[in-house]
Amino acid sequence: KNREVLDPVTTLKVPFLSDRCTAKIKEAAKSLQIPVRVVTTPGKKLRDILTSSRPLDKKKCPNNNCRTCLALNNNGNCTDRNVVYEVKCSYVECQQSGIGIYNGETYRPIGDRYTEHFRSANNPTAKSYKDMPLAKHYATHHQEGNPKLELTVLQRASTTVDRKIKEARLILKNKPDLNNRDEQIELRKYLV
């Protein structure tokens, strides 16, 4: 049998609001001749948002003298996930000059990501780290010193797209010197 070759169609996932809203989105895509298939996803239930079996429990750090928790200065926990964060070089000359600042995002525990940043700053000439932002900073400005880094969780997110958008907006707003602005390019993958 001969099979017709169909044009590739992109799937656009949108949260379900109402049948009317979904119909309007489909009509708009059709009128603009955008080859997209609209799929609705169920939203979070209010019951799931408002209830928890142990709402007052706080996650505790599994390590003693945790480098990440110390860098967070009691403003978060190394087990926090799905966050947008800022890492700053805390050498006085960098703080006075406003350099050595990096904004990033991660789905993984912030402790895992911070450890990667710390290792790159601690060993900036290693082949596997040399292109990383903090490695470049430490290779240029602090060849002899141990890394002194501050970590701040700037925002929390609920989805990957939300996290990527928040990161891109904060980079545009804060203009951290160690970001190369590839985050805006990366964000395009998640937007239609």
Side-chain angles (χ1 to χ4, degrees):
K1 290 182 178 180
N2 291 338
R3 293 185 179 181
E4 293 181 34
V5 178
L6 300 174
D7 290 334
V9 176
T10 303
T11 301
L12 173 64
K13 290 183 181 179
V14 294
F16 178 79
L17 299 174
S18 69
D19 290 329
R20 185 173 164 213
C21 183
T22 303
K24 285 195 176 223
I25 293 170
K26 287 179 180 180
E27 286 173 24
K30 188 175 181 181
S31 69
L32 295 170
Q33 298 177 342
I34 299 172
V36 67
R37 181 177 60 163
V38 178
V39 176
T40 58
T41 58
K44 289 186 177 181
K45 293 182 174 80
L46 186 60
R47 175 187 64 205
D48 296 334
I49 296 169
L50 296 177
T51 61
S52 171
S53 60
R54 303 193 61 149
L56 299 178
D57 286 355
K58 291 190 178 185
K59 291 181 184 175
K60 295 194 177 188
C61 177
N63 306 314
N64 291 334
N65 295 325
C66 173
R67 179 182 290 136
T68 305
C69 290
L70 291 172
L72 281 166
N73 201 21
N74 295 323
N75 292 319
N77 193 300
C78 63
T79 59
D80 291 347
R81 294 174 169 264
N82 223 12
V83 297
V84 179
Y85 62 89
E86 178 177 81
V87 178
K88 282 185 185 179
C89 176
S90 57
Y91 277 99
V92 174
E93 58 271 14
C94 290
Q95 288 186 333
Q96 289 173 344
S97 303
I99 62 171
I101 302 170
Y102 177 81
N103 287 176
E105 58 84 19
T106 185
Y107 172 75
R108 299 179 299 149
I110 186 72
D112 293 353
R113 190 67 183 104
Y114 178 75
T115 298
E116 291 169 358
H117 286 304
F118 187 87
R119 285 182 183 156
S120 72
N122 196 36
N123 195 2
T125 57
K127 191 175 182 179
S128 58
Y129 296 138
K130 68 181 174 102
D131 294 328
M132 295 181 80
L134 285 160
K136 289 178 183 178
H137 174 79
Y138 272 79
T140 304
H141 299 282
H142 313 292
Q143 295 89 1
E144 298 298 319
N146 288 330
K148 292 183 181 178
L149 301 173
E150 294 175 16
L151 176 63
T152 307
V153 172
L154 300 174
Q155 293 186 353
R156 299 177 190 286
S158 55
T159 65
T160 300
V161 174
D162 183 35
R163 194 176 64 248
K164 299 268 184 198
I165 290 171
K166 286 179 178 182
E167 177 198 26
R169 291 182 73 196
L170 284 167
I171 289 169
L172 286 172
K173 178 183 170 196
N174 300 337
K175 298 178 180 31
D177 66 307
L178 299 182
N179 288 85
N180 58 13
R181 308 304 187 263
D182 284 344
E183 294 79 8
Q184 279 76 29
I185 296 166
E186 176 78 13
L187 177 62
R188 291 185 188 146
K189 292 183 198 175
Y190 296 94
L191 300 176
V192 174

